[in-house]
Amino acid sequence: MTEDSKYYVVKQKALPEVLLKVAQVNKIIETKRMSIAEATESVGISRSSYYKYKDDIFPFHDQAKGRTVTFIFQNNLDFSK
């Protein structure tokens, strides 16, 4: 597994504030149809901070209806022997 494909479940209090604000911006853009500039200004982060993390941070439990999250756990044991 490469470093880019690892996921972690982390408590909100352990995350830097900027990551939480990026998640807020994503939600604002999705629900209120604001521009990125307006949304980042409303939560108090720069657009460059948003663009740095926008594809890497999202809430684990999204309240949006109709979404399904599937986790697949795979071990590296070979049972064919």
Side-chain angles (χ1 to χ4, degrees):
M1 181 180 291
T2 66
E3 189 64 29
D4 291 343
S5 63
K6 290 184 180 180
Y7 291 89
Y8 299 91
V9 176
V10 180
K11 288 184 179 182
Q12 180 176 337
K13 68 181 184 177
L15 291 174
E17 186 176 352
V18 68
L19 297 180
L20 298 173
K21 288 185 175 188
V22 167
Q24 285 180 313
V25 170
N26 284 337
K27 190 69 169 178
I28 289 169
I29 291 168
E30 181 181 315
T31 60
K32 297 185 180 179
R33 302 291 185 205
M34 279 187 179
S35 71
I36 291 171
E38 292 170 323
T40 54
E41 185 177 333
S42 73
V43 300
I45 62 171
S46 67
R47 285 187 4 249
S48 63
S49 293
Y50 173 73
Y51 283 112
K52 182 176 182 179
Y53 300 112
K54 73 179 183 75
D55 295 326
D56 297 324
I57 188 76
F58 46 89
F60 172 72
H61 185 278
D62 194 341
Q63 295 293 332
K65 292 182 180 179
R67 292 193 177 184
T68 302
V69 176
T70 303
F71 286 96
I72 299 173
F73 296 94
Q74 179 179 357
N75 63 32
N76 294 327
L77 299 176
D78 183 6
F79 292 107
S80 63
K81 295 179 183 179

